[in-house]
Amino acid sequence: MIPLNRNRKIALFAVAAFFDLLSFVPGLSEITSILGQIVMGCLFFVSGINVFQGKRSVVYVVSTLVEALPFTSFLPMFLIETAVILSRPGKR
């Protein structure tokens, strides 16, 4: 696994912001919510962070559900998810 440094964190936030911006486009929000969660999950895994473990899995699932609900795509859930997962100390 690649060590998580400042540049990697910035890249994760940039990808999250990109998917949050795409979710504002009508018709793309459904595709963005699914594709974005898959991409973010893979990026976290490559960064050495297991999002399917402990409280991180709760954050990941809640974020996925909020992004999938109609009329909630304006919430920046990808950025919130990334901030919460990266702020959680413990096993990477």
Side-chain angles (χ1 to χ4, degrees):
M1 298 287 172
I2 299 170
L4 192 63
N5 57 17
R6 186 174 141 231
N7 291 336
R8 175 94 29 188
K9 289 180 182 180
I10 290 171
L12 285 169
F13 277 110
V15 172
F18 173 73
F19 280 115
D20 275 334
L21 287 175
L22 281 181
S23 67
F24 283 116
V25 178
L28 277 182
S29 61
E30 292 82 15
I31 297 168
T32 303
S33 66
I34 296 168
L35 183 65
Q37 288 298 346
I38 293 169
V39 169
M40 290 303 294
C42 291
L43 288 176
F44 280 124
F45 180 74
V46 168
S47 297
I49 299 172
N50 186 1
V51 293
F52 301 110
Q53 174 182 2
K55 293 181 181 178
R56 289 182 181 143
S57 64
V58 174
V59 172
Y60 190 77
V61 169
V62 168
S63 176
T64 302
L65 292 175
V66 170
E67 281 289 335
L69 290 173
F71 305 114
T72 59
S73 62
F74 65 91
L75 297 171
M77 289 309 295
F78 288 110
L79 285 172
I80 293 170
E81 169 191 354
T82 303
V84 170
I85 289 175
L86 290 179
S87 69
R88 284 256 171 242
K91 295 180 189 175
R92 289 186 51 196

